[in-house]
Amino acid sequence: MAGVELLSDQGFRIDGRRPHELRKIECRLGVFRQADGSAYIEQGNTKVLAAVYGPHEVRGGRGKALHDKVVVNCQYSMATFSTGERKRRPRGDRKSQEMTMHLQQTFDATILTTLYPRSQIDIFVEVLQADGGNYCASVNAATLALIDAGIPLKDYVCASSAGFVRDTALVDMNHLEESSGGTELIIATLPKSQQIVFLEMNSRLHEDNLSAVMDRAVAGCTDVYNVLDTAVRDHVGETAAAIGGDAA
Amino acid sequence: MLTSKVFIKKTKRGSVMKIVREHYLRDDITCGSRVCGLCEHPKKQQKPPLEENPNNRSSLCKRQHYLLPDTNVVLHQIDVIEDPSVTNVIILQTVLDEVKHRSIPAFKRMKDMLGNPDKHFYTFCNEFNKDTYVEREPGESSNDRNDRAIRQATNWYRQHIRNVDIVLLTNDAENKTKATNAGLQAFTVYDYIKSLKDAGSLVDRLANPLTKVSIQGNKVLFPEHLHLSDIQRGIKSGRYHQGNVLASRENYLEANVSVGGLDKMVFIQGMINLNRAVDGDIVAIEMLPESEWSCPSSLVLVDREERQKEEDDLDENEKEVKNPVPEELRQPTGRVIGIIKRKWRQYCGILQPSLLKEATRHLFIAAEKKIPKIRIETRQAENLTGKRIIVAIDSWPRTSRYPLGHFVRELGNVGEKDTENEVLLLEHDVPHSNFSQAVLNCLPEMPWTITEEDEQKRTNLRHIDICSVDPPGCTDIDDALHCRRLENGNLEVGVHIADVSHFIRPNTPLDNEAASRGTTVYLSDMRIDMVPELLSSNLCSLRSNVDRFAFSVLWEVTDEAELVGKPKFMKSIIHSKASLTYAEAQMKIDDPNQHDTLTESLRNLNKLAKILKRRRIENGALSLASTEVRFYVDSETHDPIDVQVKEIRETNSMVEEFMLLANVTVAQKIKDEFPHCACLRRHPSPPPSNFDPLIKAAKSKGLTVDVSSGKALSDSLDKAQFPGNPFFNTMLRIMTTRCMMQAVYFCSGMLPEDEFVHYGLAAPIYTHYTSPIRRFSDIIVHRLLAASIGADATYPELLDKQKTQMVCNNLNYRHKMAQYAGRASVNLHTQLFFKERVQDEEGYVLFVRKNALQVLIPKYGLEGTLFLNAPEKGAASLFTYDEEENTQTAGDVVFHVFDPVTIQLFIDRSNVQNMKLSVKLVKPVVPGFSVPPAAYKQTTEPPTKKRKK
């Protein structure tokens, strides 16, 4: 934690937020015609694009097909221009592979997979600009894209992160806060049932503080849910109005 | 409530990179004033800090007002701002950030003030407020932007609060004009403070403004400092080096700079080469060509009272520097070319009497010789003569021979014990204020009883015959011992340590206070406790015949002191049967008529201790000597009436041996359980070059000292005997002690394991476990050990290696300072002791210097400096110094290291303000230099009768 003070005595973080405040979220659904569902989300300076194809028949070898549920295929990639220093390869490196796996696990648990046996759903996630919370933004974008594609889900999946600085839990960490070497806990929940779909934590945290950090992250997920839900309802409203207009 | 604004920053990180960071501007930041009805003040605070009726009476601004200082005012005039009469100040976030950037000490003091509710200070986060945030304009320097931000915030306040004025304090003329043009009230600090009705001593506290420096005319004395960017370029290219200035403890004109990457310190000599660097500063240096390398003049700077003409002085220093130095003695020498960071603090000292009575400019002499004199301005010089005062440095312009400073506060009369004690506590940064109410609230309620729950959690060891052995008069007993025969014929040895961690729970005010104090400081006549007295002398102290909580370590050993099985650790309740002094314990052991269990157990312990000690020494542990003295103090006047070197008995080493055993055992245990965050103690082996003085000294007596390993050193010290000088061996050991490195606390996760060793004890791992009442490190070790046996839970900070290391660093600092303070206190008492005496004593030459002999007086364990100056000014010195042989010769008398001498001790009163212990030579007789022996009429013998009273 050399140099920067992540939380001032007055209770402000370096970017002027208070510990419980999310970054500004902006999102749009249906940004591509080509894909079955698509969404774009901005969480502060982290910008992510997600596209969903399917369900369609299993591509690349019949052997992959599952007889009782759908194959969820994810691909996470980061644009070469998304980070401060130019990335060499957009996907396939260790970090992206890990992220792909995590996304796959998350959505395997959320999509009602048994409805589409012997088929496949593709989720493509592209990070356009990275400023912390890449996983969270990817999950949130993919959720919106899945909803746009009309794929049945148990619930929205909302993800948020939380860190622990000066005995205070900070929600929705940005890149500077993430890279200061402290603890980061990443959580994805189903907001209505408050179930945890995914949980990851790096670096050590004393167990006394764990519940505080988790509560803050779950609260963050709920806040994200409210934003996403509003966006979806607005989008559906607009689409319905457009269709209604055509009919008249 | 969120408005977002993105601002763009370009930063260099190797290559040029564009960094985009979000910056949220808010509308919920309150102004912090009680008169304001616009803001929604947060409800959890009782009241916003700024008062309705700020009581600042100034003739410049008649209306009530809040103060709003800019960065430079806060940085340079922090002493004024700290004054209790300055209240109701708004500190902007811009200012706070800048202060933090430029001076950490000032920032810390600022934070303390902000935390003090009586000061009514408020931090206004102007950078996050949507109305006061200003964007940097193209071509605008960041300083200008900050000034504009400060003006913007002032303006906002002016419009926001109508009933109370806002006064901007700035010393920057341009900023002031701009502010006045914008309709703001802006004054310089000088004008404002002078306009206060009750200004008084506040004016003296004002830091010297740079503009007033015309003291020496325009003669430039010092080369200019390089600009920071040039320095950085130079360091990168390897032309310059960066390091910490460590001024010589005896002479502020010489310093060593520790440079990372070089194994030897770089030597810096003379005023010009030092170029205004003061002890502690971080500087950039340039190496001088090898032909100009020099070595410490091994000369102790004599107070140059008589010489007032500074120019003369300067030239002389120059001359001294030019002296050719024999090549083999040369050390890497450099000169300071720029200051990277000043580490100025406040200094204690006295005012030098000025020749002119009415003068307002005076020189201040710091108590430490490594600090140069400081020029200050005061109107109360007459009141301050003969007083100890505190002064801070403000600046050191090129034209001034001395740094400029200002008066901070006075402590009391010189020579009074209370004042002098206060001085040495302050000089050594020892926190010595009374414990705050918050701390006292953490203490258990009296009468304290042992509850049922405690009984169940702890092992009952009340039935064992435990006793403690300590120095006489000790009230904070933190260790007790026992030894008993087991049924299988082996012995069980137990070390019981006061369970302080039971009473000091983590993260309480009590814990924080103890952590910050770090250690109990022992002065000759007082003790500054780390924990409140109720704990240190009562509840934690393992006194006899009461039930006390202890943390026990039990070993099973054979009669040959071989350990059997694993040691056992337990929280226990003990009932000590006796608190003995070392002498009493020794008597019990030696008395053949006593056969009670306690005596038997002491005898067994003693027997085992001897075996342990022998084994330890065989392993290469060093036994070093340092003389400790004890003062016998008059019960009424508290003046010392006799000094004695502390006696060392068998029982001392008996207790020590078991404490060492306990420490090593516990160190191993906590390292195994917590490999990353155990608090340990290491003693690095000194670099071979450290031993040079020792080898040289021994050689002069035809002895060789093998320093290749601890074992070799220990053996050769044992062998080193010199007929006819019974004190020779001890002196050699004292010298060896000086060659050693400092032992330090550290966190096990921060160093590779092979650096854990303790050189002096020849132990692969070591920690402090046995004195939790007086050392905080032991409390941490107790907590770790308690967690490892499941007796207590861990807490976050305990397992965080960075935080543990930070605690360790503080402890190291406090320990060092406590040690220095203890020594300074002994010196002080020595002076008081010799106030009325002139005495002849036997002594030995410990070091030979260019113009002095350092003499050790074993009877009092003190060292005196015997100056070898000519008796009259102007006459040639009688002595010739031989650097090769390390001798001083006068006629047919030659002084070597270790030579016995007889010297006369007395207090030099020639300088009323600064008395000091002086020594004169009695034997061997050097005509024209030595003095006749002191007459026997005088009180040469200590008044023994009085002591027995």
Side-chain angles (χ1 to χ4, degrees):
Chain A
M1 277 221 291
V4 284
E5 190 183 37
L6 293 183
L7 187 66
S8 75
D9 289 336
Q10 290 75 40
F12 292 111
R13 292 153 70 173
I14 14 182
D15 53 6
R17 287 184 286 156
R18 290 192 195 274
H20 65 275
E21 287 172 351
L22 295 178
R23 288 174 290 177
K24 188 176 165 132
I25 299 182
E26 278 191 65
C27 48
R28 287 213 308 275
L29 280 81
V31 287
F32 294 145
R33 293 277 146 213
Q34 171 83 29
D36 294 313
S38 61
Y40 170 74
I41 194 165
E42 282 183 15
Q43 284 186 269
N45 281 335
T46 303
K47 299 175 183 176
V48 175
L49 201 55
V52 170
Y53 293 87
H56 52 72
E57 66 185 44
V58 178
R59 298 209 178 112
R62 293 243 149 224
K64 274 208 294 184
L66 301 169
H67 67 92
D68 57 343
K69 58 179 195 176
V70 68
V71 174
V72 178
N73 172 38
C74 289
Q75 190 182 72
Y76 171 88
S77 61
M78 286 175 86
T80 50
F81 50 82
S82 62
T83 48
E85 272 175 64
R86 202 176 162 81
K87 271 181 85 76
R88 274 215 215 101
R89 42 201 289 217
R91 65 189 74 86
D93 57 332
R94 280 290 178 115
K95 250 181 168 171
S96 304
Q97 275 178 341
E98 189 193 4
M99 203 66 103
T100 303
M101 288 241 304
H102 288 164
L103 287 174
Q104 204 145 354
Q105 285 163 7
T106 310
F107 287 103
D108 247 344
T110 329
I111 296 172
L112 295 174
T113 45
T114 46
L115 293 180
Y116 307 103
R118 290 181 289 280
S119 13
Q120 176 178 348
I121 297 172
D122 294 320
I123 304 173
F124 297 108
V125 175
E126 175 88 20
V127 177
L128 300 178
Q129 194 177 332
D131 185 35
N134 297 349
Y135 170 82
C136 308
S138 304
V139 168
N140 297 336
T143 303
L144 291 178
L146 284 167
I147 291 170
D148 187 42
I151 290 170
L153 304 172
K154 286 180 187 155
D155 191 1
Y156 288 70
V157 217
C158 298
S160 182
S161 63
F164 196 71
V165 173
R166 288 184 44 174
D167 297 333
T168 321
L170 309 180
V171 78
D172 194 13
M173 312 256 279
N174 66 22
H175 177 65
L176 197 61
E177 288 166 336
E178 272 181 352
S179 52
S180 64
T183 312
E184 189 185 16
L185 182 137
I186 298 168
I187 206 165
T189 61
L190 305 180
K192 274 191 191 137
S193 52
Q194 293 278 315
Q195 280 177 308
I196 293 170
V197 185
F198 176 84
L199 180 84
E200 189 199 9
M201 189 168 83
N202 50 34
S203 118
R204 285 149 61 100
L205 179 74
H206 198 272
E207 61 173 322
D208 291 4
N209 300 322
L210 182 64
S211 64
V213 178
M214 250 170 82
D215 289 350
R216 181 63 31 106
V218 170
C221 293
T222 317
D223 291 345
V224 170
Y225 165 72
N226 292 330
V227 178
L228 298 191
D229 193 44
T230 324
V232 169
R233 283 173 201 283
D234 287 354
H235 177 71
V236 172
E238 276 168 32
T239 323
I243 295 167
D246 279 353
Chain B
M1 132 174 152
L2 278 179
T3 1
S4 101
K5 193 155 190 178
V6 176
F7 82 145
I8 291 162
K9 234 179 171 177
K10 272 184 188 168
T11 325
K12 274 179 204 159
R13 226 181 255 167
S15 60
V16 179
M17 214 159 84
K18 184 170 159 189
I19 292 177
V20 183
R21 276 184 203 155
E22 285 176 293
H23 192 88
Y24 289 88
L25 299 180
R26 334 178 46 107
D27 55 6
D28 66 341
I29 294 175
T30 58
C31 63
S33 165
R34 292 180 196 168
V35 294
C36 155
L38 296 169
C39 302
E40 276 181 50
H41 295 292
K43 290 189 183 71
K44 59 178 175 182
Q45 276 178 349
Q46 301 87 353
K47 266 183 176 178
L50 299 172
E51 292 176 297
E52 293 98 342
N53 299 310
N55 190 22
N56 294 331
R57 279 185 294 160
S58 157
S59 56
L60 274 176
C61 178
K62 296 275 190 317
R63 285 190 57 187
Q64 290 175 337
H65 54 271
Y66 297 139
L67 295 175
L68 198 154
D70 79 354
T71 312
N72 283 323
V73 171
V74 171
L75 269 180
H76 298 137
Q77 309 294 353
I78 193 140
D79 288 323
V80 175
I81 298 177
E82 250 176 7
D83 190 276
S85 68
V86 177
T87 54
N88 289 296
V89 178
I90 300 163
I91 304 293
L92 297 181
Q93 187 193 2
T94 318
V95 172
L96 207 56
D97 285 350
E98 243 183 315
V99 168
K100 183 181 161 197
H101 228 79
R102 291 180 37 195
S103 160
I104 294 286
F107 177 69
K108 275 201 181 126
R109 288 163 75 183
M110 201 67 237
K111 262 178 112 168
D112 288 346
M113 281 187 263
L114 286 166
N116 181 354
D118 296 334
K119 294 285 280 175
H120 300 287
F121 275 38
Y122 177 68
T123 321
F124 179 64
C125 295
N126 62 323
E127 298 285 355
F128 295 139
N129 189 314
K130 71 177 167 52
D131 297 317
T132 52
Y133 175 73
V134 295
E135 190 109 23
R136 189 163 152 188
E137 282 163 5
E140 191 177 38
S141 78
S142 74
N143 275 337
D144 287 346
R145 188 214 84 102
N146 287 343
D147 284 345
R148 198 155 57 83
I150 291 167
R151 290 199 299 276
Q152 172 81 14
T154 316
N155 196 25
W156 179 83
Y157 258 105
R158 194 175 63 102
Q159 285 163 0
H160 185 79
I161 302 174
R162 294 283 176 190
N163 299 344
V164 180
D165 282 359
I166 308 294
V167 170
L168 174 66
L169 292 182
T170 175
N171 287 338
D172 183 348
E174 197 190 321
N175 193 9
K176 192 178 156 230
T177 339
K178 280 187 182 161
T180 321
N181 291 343
L184 306 173
Q185 292 198 56
F187 305 114
T188 66
V189 195
Y190 311 105
D191 295 343
Y192 180 80
I193 294 293
K194 277 175 195 149
S195 80
L196 285 181
K197 290 229 172 58
D198 40 6
S201 67
L202 264 187
V203 180
D204 278 354
R205 293 202 189 187
L206 279 172
N208 266 310
L210 277 168
T211 44
K212 283 196 191 167
V213 182
S214 51
I215 300 163
Q216 312 249 319
N218 290 325
K219 197 180 156 201
V220 173
L221 292 170
F222 293 100
E224 200 165 1
H225 286 152
L226 288 189
H227 195 263
L228 204 58
S229 57
D230 296 335
I231 293 175
Q232 271 160 355
R233 214 172 305 135
I235 289 174
K236 222 171 217 175
S237 67
R239 234 180 100 205
Y240 306 141
H241 303 277
Q242 176 178 342
N244 268 8
V245 177
L246 300 166
S248 153
R249 287 180 81 86
E250 285 137 1
N251 180 351
Y252 70 85
L253 291 175
E254 288 182 359
N256 282 306
V257 176
S258 60
V259 175
L262 298 184
D263 50 342
K264 245 184 159 182
M265 303 264 249
V266 177
F267 181 65
I268 296 185
Q269 192 174 45
M271 209 174 80
I272 303 295
N273 284 340
L274 261 173
N275 199 357
R276 293 171 280 159
V278 180
D279 181 67
D281 289 350
I282 300 173
V283 296
I285 56 167
E286 182 182 42
M287 300 303 289
L288 291 172
E290 218 154 308
S291 58
E292 288 175 37
W293 281 13
S294 166
C295 77
S297 49
S298 42
L299 133 153
V300 183
L301 191 73
V302 193
D303 290 342
R304 294 204 174 95
E305 287 294 328
E306 313 83 40
R307 298 202 198 104
Q308 284 289 330
K309 281 188 214 138
E310 289 158 0
E311 280 80 359
D312 284 4
D313 216 9
L314 193 61
D315 292 343
E316 189 160 337
N317 281 323
E318 285 289 85
K319 251 182 268 157
E320 275 170 10
V321 174
K322 296 269 160 61
N323 278 349
V325 179
E327 245 167 66
E328 63 275 12
L329 285 172
R330 279 182 191 169
Q331 293 182 4
T333 308
R335 67 187 184 92
V336 174
I337 49 111
I339 307 280
I340 295 170
K341 192 153 201 182
R342 288 289 192 190
K343 284 283 171 69
W344 288 338
R345 54 188 175 88
Q346 300 184 334
Y347 304 99
C348 279
I350 49 169
L351 215 56
Q352 177 173 307
S354 168
L355 294 177
L356 294 165
K357 263 230 165 97
E358 294 79 32
T360 56
R361 295 203 182 100
H362 298 268
L363 278 180
F364 159 89
I365 307 166
E368 292 167 284
K369 290 198 186 104
K370 56 186 181 181
I371 305 297
K373 290 178 189 174
I374 301 168
R375 192 179 289 284
I376 64 166
E377 200 168 322
T378 175
R379 282 177 200 82
Q380 34 180 347
E382 236 163 307
N383 296 337
L384 295 181
T385 41
K387 296 259 172 77
R388 289 278 181 193
I389 58 171
I390 297 183
V391 159
I393 305 185
D394 303 320
S395 62
W396 196 342
R398 290 173 65 198
T399 49
S400 166
R401 179 170 152 73
Y402 296 115
L404 309 181
H406 65 272
F407 166 74
V408 179
R409 69 188 169 101
E410 78 169 64
L411 296 172
N413 287 327
V414 171
E416 275 176 20
K417 221 170 61 182
D418 291 346
T419 315
E420 299 295 331
N421 269 342
E422 173 94 15
V423 168
L424 68 91
L425 290 178
L426 278 172
E427 260 319 296
H428 298 96
D429 196 11
V430 176
H432 58 284
S433 53
N434 289 337
F435 289 98
S436 70
Q437 196 54 47
V439 171
L440 296 177
N441 286 344
C442 302
L443 297 176
E445 267 176 48
M446 292 300 284
W448 172 79
T449 48
I450 297 173
T451 62
E452 197 63 28
E453 199 192 340
D454 293 330
E455 295 270 3
Q456 275 176 4
K457 277 190 188 161
R458 291 172 179 268
T459 317
N460 184 5
L461 299 179
R462 288 188 186 97
H463 54 281
I464 299 180
D465 288 315
I466 296 172
C467 70
S468 61
V469 184
D470 284 285
C474 175
T475 59
D476 49 351
I477 305 172
D478 38 23
D479 49 79
L481 295 162
H482 86 267
C483 177
R484 60 172 180 175
R485 183 76 61 186
L486 294 173
E487 278 167 15
N488 63 8
N490 286 337
L491 291 165
E492 181 193 68
V493 176
V495 168
H496 311 274
I497 307 297
D499 190 7
V500 183
S501 62
H502 173 82
F503 296 99
I504 302 183
R505 303 307 303 165
N507 290 325
T508 54
L510 177 57
D511 177 51
N512 296 338
E513 181 67 29
S516 123
R517 295 192 177 210
T519 171
T520 294
V521 180
Y522 293 89
L523 303 185
S524 300
D525 58 337
M526 64 197 277
R527 182 177 94 195
I528 294 113
D529 276 326
M530 181 180 81
V531 296
E533 197 174 356
L534 177 67
L535 292 182
S536 66
S537 316
N538 187 354
L539 294 186
C540 292
S541 181
L542 301 178
R543 298 190 296 187
S544 52
N545 301 321
V546 281
D547 285 351
R548 286 287 176 256
F549 287 166
F551 209 149
S552 306
V553 189
L554 304 181
W555 299 269
E556 190 181 332
V557 295
T558 62
D559 278 288
E560 284 72 47
E562 296 295 340
L563 297 184
V564 181
K566 283 191 171 171
K568 282 180 277 185
F569 305 93
M570 62 189 76
K571 292 242 179 177
S572 60
I573 301 175
I574 63 163
H575 190 96
S576 167
K577 300 291 180 292
S579 10
L580 306 172
T581 64
Y582 289 122
E584 283 167 357
Q586 190 68 54
M587 258 152 55
K588 262 185 180 302
I589 292 174
D590 294 345
D591 185 353
N593 299 326
Q594 293 200 32
H595 292 290
D596 54 295
T597 46
L598 210 60
T599 316
E600 284 303 324
S601 115
L602 281 172
R603 280 185 194 139
N604 277 331
L605 284 171
N606 198 23
K607 192 182 70 191
L608 291 173
K610 281 184 187 159
I611 305 175
L612 287 172
K613 180 161 188 182
R614 202 188 57 226
R615 210 178 283 159
R616 207 161 52 81
I617 300 229
E618 277 166 10
N619 275 336
L622 298 173
S623 58
L624 300 174
S626 67
T627 43
E628 267 192 273
V629 291
R630 184 170 187 83
F631 286 91
Y632 288 91
V633 175
D634 189 303
S635 55
E636 272 139 45
T637 60
H638 293 290
D639 282 337
I641 43 182
D642 193 12
V643 243
Q644 272 194 351
V645 177
K646 277 184 192 161
E647 262 182 88
I648 304 290
R649 291 191 177 79
E650 240 179 27
T651 41
N652 289 54
S653 99
M654 172 187 93
V655 173
E656 190 193 334
E657 227 31 72
F658 285 104
M659 294 307 129
L660 290 177
L661 181 63
N663 284 338
V664 171
T665 312
V666 170
Q668 191 61 45
K669 172 83 177 166
I670 59 171
K671 198 218 72 182
D672 291 344
E673 291 286 334
F674 300 100
H676 292 295
C677 53
C679 170
L680 301 176
R681 189 170 171 84
R682 73 194 180 99
H683 183 205
S685 49
S689 64
N690 272 23
F691 288 113
D692 289 350
L694 175 71
I695 295 172
K696 207 163 141 190
K699 216 179 188 175
S700 72
K701 288 282 173 236
L703 290 167
T704 46
V705 178
D706 185 358
V707 296
S708 55
S709 72
K711 170 88 177 123
L713 177 61
S714 167
D715 287 348
S716 49
L717 281 180
D718 287 342
K719 269 183 269 164
Q721 290 296 344
F722 192 69
N725 190 341
F727 210 65
F728 176 75
N729 194 277
T730 316
M731 281 166 68
L732 213 54
R733 286 182 199 273
I734 290 178
M735 282 184 158
T736 316
T737 314
R738 307 244 160 119
C739 304
M740 291 293 154
M741 310 278 284
Q742 277 276 344
V744 288
Y745 297 110
F746 70 104
C747 174
S748 59
M750 307 299 275
L751 283 174
E753 199 164 333
D754 53 339
E755 285 183 34
F756 289 7
V757 287
H758 195 292
Y759 180 80
L761 297 172
I765 186 166
Y766 192 67
T767 192
H768 271 163
Y769 163 73
T770 52
S771 304
I773 299 182
R774 58 185 177 89
R775 290 188 303 232
F776 190 74
S777 52
D778 303 51
I779 296 184
I780 298 203
V781 170
H782 274 227
R783 287 178 183 160
L784 286 167
L785 186 63
S788 72
I789 61 166
D792 209 340
T794 62
Y795 58 100
E797 288 79 15
L798 190 67
L799 303 182
D800 185 330
K801 65 176 176 184
Q802 310 287 350
K803 284 202 177 131
T804 306
Q805 186 61 42
M806 262 161 61
V807 171
C808 287
N809 290 346
N810 179 47
L811 292 182
N812 289 333
Y813 172 72
R814 295 287 186 206
H815 268 269
K816 198 170 69 189
M817 283 309 171
Q819 237 173 28
Y820 290 161
R823 269 182 232 159
S825 170
V826 170
N827 278 345
L828 174 65
H829 278 77
T830 318
Q831 282 179 24
L832 290 174
F833 176 67
F834 282 103
K835 207 153 86 180
E836 307 298 330
R837 279 166 244 254
V838 177
Q839 212 158 319
D840 288 353
E841 284 302 340
E842 295 287 316
Y844 296 95
V845 178
L846 200 54
F847 293 107
V848 178
R849 296 189 191 277
K850 195 168 161 189
N851 69 340
L853 298 175
Q854 208 100 0
V855 182
L856 177 85
I857 301 126
K859 180 171 176 193
Y860 300 115
L862 51 87
E863 270 174 53
T865 311
L866 176 63
F867 289 104
L868 302 178
N869 293 347
E872 279 151 44
K873 245 176 281 164
S877 174
L878 296 163
F879 292 87
T880 41
Y881 177 53
D882 185 341
E883 214 151 355
E884 306 278 284
E885 296 282 307
N886 219 2
T887 56
Q888 288 276 9
T889 317
D892 49 359
V893 188
V894 183
F895 291 100
H896 298 90
V897 184
F898 301 122
D899 277 359
V901 287
T902 304
I903 49 166
Q904 192 169 83
L905 295 161
F906 66 100
I907 293 289
D908 179 8
R909 290 160 194 280
S910 58
N911 179 351
V912 193
Q913 295 206 59
N914 207 356
M915 288 187 291
K916 58 185 174 199
L917 187 69
S918 292
V919 291
K920 279 200 174 145
L921 187 66
V922 178
K923 255 196 295 187
V925 179
V926 176
F929 181 77
S930 58
V931 292
Y936 281 100
K937 274 179 287 182
Q938 278 168 309
T939 49
T940 35
E941 285 304 305
T944 34
K945 271 180 209 157
K946 220 172 172 182
R947 195 178 70 212
K948 281 184 185 138
K949 232 187 323 193

